[in-house]
Amino acid sequence: MKKQSAEDIKADDIRNEKLVQAMQAMVRHEDMHTRSVMVTELMRSRLLSPILRETVLLESSGPSTRIKFEDIENTDGDRYYLAFTDMDEYSKWNEDGTHDQALIMTMEDFGNLLIRNVNDLKGFVINPYGENVSISKKLLLSLLQQQEAKQNAKRGN
């Protein structure tokens, strides 16, 4: 079977069953093991993140498209980017059907987004109307650094 390239993957292809199971296990009984399993699955996953596209007219270069990532606010007033494990979870948030665009994101993508955007977003939340697992900016950056260190160790750097 031919492996799909990133360009071939569609939103309907995103499933993440193992990540959902790991998040549910962690929500039921959070300990070192359930967190570790969830983190392992999280780092392997691709998630859906809703966006808004805006066309902006620039005098010098003409029309340009800007992308704005959707976010959500919790009861404490903290804002998080949205991430969904599959279209079913995406649909819970998009009940009215007005949000019809999403990017397929890896943890590295979320890390780059959180590092580069100067805003007060605290991280991202996975399945806010399901498992509702928040990943802070600090935690994600730590996980990405650990992953990079492991890869460098494997290469002998």
Side-chain angles (χ1 to χ4, degrees):
M1 189 166 132
K2 183 181 153 196
K3 187 175 179 181
Q4 287 183 314
S5 70
E7 295 81 33
D8 294 338
I9 298 173
K10 306 283 186 261
D12 288 336
D13 297 332
I14 302 297
R15 289 274 177 254
N16 296 300
E17 288 101 356
K18 289 181 180 178
L19 175 59
V20 171
Q21 291 168 355
M23 288 189 304
Q24 290 170 347
M26 192 190 73
V27 167
R28 280 192 308 274
H29 180 73
E30 185 172 348
D31 62 20
M32 208 157 178
H33 174 73
T34 57
R35 275 194 310 270
S36 175
V37 171
M38 193 216 60
V39 164
T40 299
E41 291 306 324
L42 180 65
M43 298 308 285
R44 294 178 183 156
S45 66
R46 293 179 184 268
L47 301 172
L48 299 169
S49 188
I51 59 168
L52 292 172
R53 290 182 195 249
E54 300 171 333
T55 301
V56 181
L57 193 54
L58 303 173
E59 279 186 41
S60 58
S61 59
S64 176
T65 300
R66 290 192 183 152
I67 294 175
K68 178 186 180 295
F69 285 84
E70 299 272 8
D71 60 65
I72 193 168
E73 190 171 309
N74 68 11
T75 54
D76 296 331
D78 295 328
R79 293 177 32 234
Y80 292 84
Y81 288 116
L82 292 160
F84 300 97
T85 55
D86 53 58
M87 285 304 294
D88 290 339
E89 288 296 328
Y90 186 95
S91 296
K92 290 178 185 177
W93 169 77
N94 189 28
E95 276 186 322
D96 61 4
T98 58
H99 302 276
D100 61 352
Q101 296 182 41
L103 292 181
I104 298 170
M105 306 273 288
T106 64
M107 291 310 102
E108 289 172 357
D109 296 331
F110 277 110
N112 288 331
L113 182 63
L114 288 165
I115 290 169
R116 290 198 171 107
N117 279 352
V118 180
N119 56 39
D120 60 349
L121 271 71
K122 302 294 184 189
F124 67 97
V125 60
I126 307 168
N127 296 349
Y129 297 100
E131 291 75 25
N132 193 29
V133 173
S134 299
I135 307 295
S136 71
K137 183 187 301 190
K138 183 178 177 180
L139 174 60
L140 178 59
L141 297 180
S142 172
L143 293 172
L144 291 169
Q145 288 171 342
Q146 290 172 41
Q147 182 181 44
E148 185 177 352
K150 285 179 190 175
Q151 290 169 346
N152 287 340
K154 284 181 184 174
R155 281 181 267 184
N157 293 343

